Amino acid sequence: LQVSGLKLTETDLLHIALDNGWMNYFDFARVTAELKDAGMVETEKRPQGDLLVLTAQGREILDHFAERLPPSLRRNIEEYAQGHKVDIHRAGQHIASYQKKGEGDYLASLEILDKEEILLSVQIALPTEAMAKTFVNRWQERSQDVFAAVLRLLGEGKEPT
Protein backbone atom coordinates (compact mmCIF):
# COMPACT_ATOMS: atom_id res chain seq x y z
CA LEU A 1 0.00 0.00 0.00
CA GLN A 2 2.94 2.33 -0.40
CA VAL A 3 1.05 3.43 -3.51
CA SER A 4 -1.19 5.55 -1.27
CA GLY A 5 1.77 7.54 0.03
CA LEU A 6 0.28 7.38 3.53
CA LYS A 7 1.59 5.82 6.70
CA LEU A 8 -0.83 3.28 8.12
CA THR A 9 -1.22 1.74 11.54
CA GLU A 10 -1.03 -1.98 12.04
CA THR A 11 -4.77 -1.93 12.80
CA ASP A 12 -5.50 -0.04 9.57
CA LEU A 13 -3.55 -2.59 7.55
CA LEU A 14 -5.30 -5.48 9.31
CA HIS A 15 -8.74 -4.06 8.49
CA ILE A 16 -7.75 -3.45 4.88
CA ALA A 17 -6.41 -7.00 4.51
CA LEU A 18 -9.50 -8.53 6.13
CA ASP A 19 -12.03 -6.35 4.28
CA ASN A 20 -10.51 -7.24 0.92
CA GLY A 21 -10.03 -10.94 1.68
CA TRP A 22 -6.29 -10.69 1.08
CA MET A 23 -5.47 -12.64 4.28
CA ASN A 24 -7.05 -13.71 7.54
CA TYR A 25 -6.21 -12.39 11.02
CA PHE A 26 -3.85 -15.22 11.95
CA ASP A 27 -1.84 -14.97 8.73
CA PHE A 28 -1.64 -11.19 9.14
CA ALA A 29 -0.38 -11.50 12.74
CA ARG A 30 2.19 -14.14 11.76
CA VAL A 31 3.46 -12.24 8.72
CA THR A 32 3.64 -8.94 10.60
CA ALA A 33 5.65 -10.54 13.41
CA GLU A 34 8.00 -12.18 10.90
CA LEU A 35 8.54 -8.89 9.06
CA LYS A 36 9.34 -7.12 12.33
CA ASP A 37 11.71 -9.89 13.45
CA ALA A 38 13.50 -9.81 10.08
CA GLY A 39 13.94 -6.03 10.29
CA MET A 40 11.83 -5.35 7.21
CA VAL A 41 9.30 -3.18 9.04
CA GLU A 42 9.52 -1.07 12.15
CA THR A 43 6.82 0.42 14.32
CA GLU A 44 6.55 4.10 15.17
CA LYS A 45 4.44 5.04 18.18
CA ARG A 46 1.80 7.63 17.27
CA PRO A 47 -1.40 8.84 18.96
CA GLN A 48 -3.51 6.96 16.40
CA GLY A 49 -1.63 3.70 17.01
CA ASP A 50 1.57 1.99 15.97
CA LEU A 51 2.51 2.88 12.40
CA LEU A 52 4.14 0.17 10.32
CA VAL A 53 7.04 1.61 8.34
CA LEU A 54 9.13 -0.20 5.76
CA THR A 55 12.85 -0.21 6.44
CA ALA A 56 15.34 0.18 3.57
CA GLN A 57 15.76 -3.61 3.57
CA GLY A 58 11.98 -4.09 3.54
CA ARG A 59 11.55 -1.69 0.62
CA GLU A 60 14.26 -3.52 -1.34
CA ILE A 61 12.58 -6.91 -0.75
CA LEU A 62 9.15 -5.48 -1.57
CA ASP A 63 10.43 -4.00 -4.83
CA HIS A 64 11.97 -7.35 -5.74
CA PHE A 65 8.90 -9.45 -4.96
CA ALA A 66 6.19 -7.01 -6.09
CA GLU A 67 6.72 -8.14 -9.68
CA ARG A 68 5.89 -11.71 -8.65
CA LEU A 69 2.42 -10.78 -7.42
CA PRO A 70 -0.33 -11.56 -9.91
CA PRO A 71 -1.17 -8.43 -11.96
CA SER A 72 -4.81 -8.66 -10.88
CA LEU A 73 -3.81 -8.50 -7.19
CA ARG A 74 -1.42 -5.59 -7.78
CA ARG A 75 -4.19 -3.75 -9.66
CA ASN A 76 -6.68 -4.56 -6.88
CA ILE A 77 -4.29 -3.14 -4.24
CA GLU A 78 -3.55 -0.02 -6.29
CA GLU A 79 -7.25 0.61 -6.94
CA TYR A 80 -8.07 0.16 -3.26
CA ALA A 81 -5.32 2.58 -2.21
CA GLN A 82 -6.35 5.23 -4.71
CA GLY A 83 -10.08 4.83 -4.02
CA HIS A 84 -9.67 5.07 -0.25
CA LYS A 85 -6.81 7.55 0.01
CA VAL A 86 -8.95 10.34 1.47
CA ASP A 87 -10.58 8.05 4.05
CA ILE A 88 -7.23 6.54 5.05
CA HIS A 89 -5.69 10.00 5.37
CA ARG A 90 -8.61 11.33 7.44
CA ALA A 91 -8.53 8.33 9.77
CA GLY A 92 -4.86 8.95 10.45
CA GLN A 93 -5.33 12.67 11.03
CA HIS A 94 -8.61 12.74 13.01
CA ILE A 95 -8.07 10.73 16.18
CA ALA A 96 -10.71 9.93 18.77
CA SER A 97 -10.79 7.72 21.84
CA TYR A 98 -12.40 7.60 25.25
CA GLN A 99 -11.64 6.15 28.63
CA LYS A 100 -13.45 5.60 31.89
CA LYS A 101 -12.24 8.04 34.54
CA GLY A 102 -14.41 7.10 37.49
CA GLU A 103 -17.88 5.93 38.38
CA GLY A 104 -20.18 7.39 35.71
CA ASP A 105 -17.41 9.59 34.30
CA TYR A 106 -15.84 9.23 30.85
CA LEU A 107 -13.29 11.35 29.05
CA ALA A 108 -13.44 11.66 25.26
CA SER A 109 -10.18 12.76 23.61
CA LEU A 110 -10.54 14.24 20.13
CA GLU A 111 -7.68 15.48 17.95
CA ILE A 112 -6.91 16.75 14.48
CA LEU A 113 -3.32 16.30 13.34
CA ASP A 114 -1.42 17.62 10.36
CA LYS A 115 1.50 15.26 9.93
CA GLU A 116 3.04 15.35 13.42
CA GLU A 117 1.52 18.67 14.53
CA ILE A 118 -1.62 18.89 16.65
CA LEU A 119 -4.03 21.40 15.11
CA LEU A 120 -6.83 20.88 17.62
CA SER A 121 -7.05 18.81 20.79
CA VAL A 122 -10.21 18.61 22.86
CA GLN A 123 -10.95 16.57 25.96
CA ILE A 124 -14.56 16.43 27.07
CA ALA A 125 -15.84 14.91 30.31
CA LEU A 126 -19.07 13.03 29.67
CA PRO A 127 -21.49 11.37 32.09
CA THR A 128 -22.12 8.13 30.18
CA GLU A 129 -20.21 5.65 28.06
CA ALA A 130 -22.90 5.93 25.38
CA MET A 131 -22.23 9.66 25.03
CA ALA A 132 -18.47 9.07 24.91
CA LYS A 133 -18.92 6.45 22.15
CA THR A 134 -21.17 8.82 20.20
CA PHE A 135 -18.58 11.62 20.34
CA VAL A 136 -15.80 9.26 19.25
CA ASN A 137 -17.86 7.73 16.44
CA ARG A 138 -18.94 11.10 15.07
CA TRP A 139 -15.48 12.69 15.22
CA GLN A 140 -14.30 11.32 11.86
CA GLU A 141 -17.19 12.86 9.96
CA ARG A 142 -17.67 16.04 12.00
CA SER A 143 -14.15 17.07 13.06
CA GLN A 144 -13.67 19.47 10.13
CA ASP A 145 -16.94 21.23 11.03
CA VAL A 146 -15.85 21.51 14.67
CA PHE A 147 -12.45 22.89 13.66
CA ALA A 148 -14.04 25.45 11.31
CA ALA A 149 -16.52 26.50 14.04
CA VAL A 150 -13.71 27.01 16.57
CA LEU A 151 -11.77 29.15 14.08
CA ARG A 152 -14.89 31.14 13.21
CA LEU A 153 -16.13 31.65 16.78
CA LEU A 154 -12.79 32.43 18.39
CA GLY A 155 -11.47 34.41 15.43
CA GLU A 156 -14.47 36.75 15.12
CA GLY A 157 -14.23 40.38 16.01
CA LYS A 158 -11.41 42.84 16.07
CA GLU A 159 -7.79 41.94 16.45
CA PRO A 160 -6.34 42.84 19.87
CA THR A 161 -4.40 46.10 19.94
Side-chain angles (χ1 to χ4, degrees):
L1 285 172
Q2 74 187 50
V3 171
S4 71
L6 301 171
K7 292 183 176 181
L8 300 171
T9 66
E10 195 166 337
T11 303
D12 292 335
L13 288 171
L14 172 62
H15 287 295
I16 291 167
L18 293 175
D19 291 348
N20 288 284
W22 296 334
M23 65 176 55
N24 64 42
Y25 171 81
F26 297 107
D27 289 339
F28 181 87
R30 180 183 49 78
V31 168
T32 303
E34 289 173 3
L35 290 171
K36 288 178 187 176
D37 290 344
M40 290 187 224
V41 295
E42 296 174 340
T43 56
E44 288 181 18
K45 298 280 186 202
R46 296 292 165 81
Q48 67 267 40
D50 292 344
L51 297 180
L52 281 182
V53 180
L54 279 173
T55 63
Q57 178 186 6
R59 186 168 311 283
E60 183 179 317
I61 297 292
L62 178 64
D63 291 342
H64 177 73
F65 284 104
E67 296 302 318
R68 295 185 182 180
L69 290 173
S72 61
L73 178 58
R74 282 198 315 258
R75 193 170 37 259
N76 189 336
I77 292 169
E78 290 170 7
E79 288 172 0
Y80 180 88
Q82 291 305 318
H84 293 84
K85 190 172 186 171
V86 170
D87 294 335
I88 292 168
H89 179 72
R90 183 178 297 137
Q93 301 297 313
H94 302 234
I95 309 222
S97 63
Y98 74 91
Q99 61 184 355
K100 186 173 183 157
K101 297 303 283 182
E103 193 60 39
D105 188 23
Y106 294 84
L107 185 67
S109 299
L110 313 168
E111 291 185 330
I112 299 175
L113 305 175
D114 182 19
K115 296 180 181 141
E116 305 293 322
E117 187 177 339
I118 297 174
L119 298 179
L120 178 69
S121 180
V122 178
Q123 292 190 327
I124 302 172
L126 298 163
T128 68
E129 184 175 17
M131 284 182 74
K133 283 182 180 179
T134 298
F135 275 59
V136 166
N137 291 336
R138 289 184 178 164
W139 185 245
Q140 286 294 327
E141 64 192 45
R142 304 296 291 272
S143 57
Q144 289 294 349
D145 297 334
V146 172
F147 186 63
V150 168
L151 291 177
R152 187 184 74 253
L153 292 170
L154 297 180
E156 285 182 346
K158 297 179 183 177
E159 290 292 315
T161 56

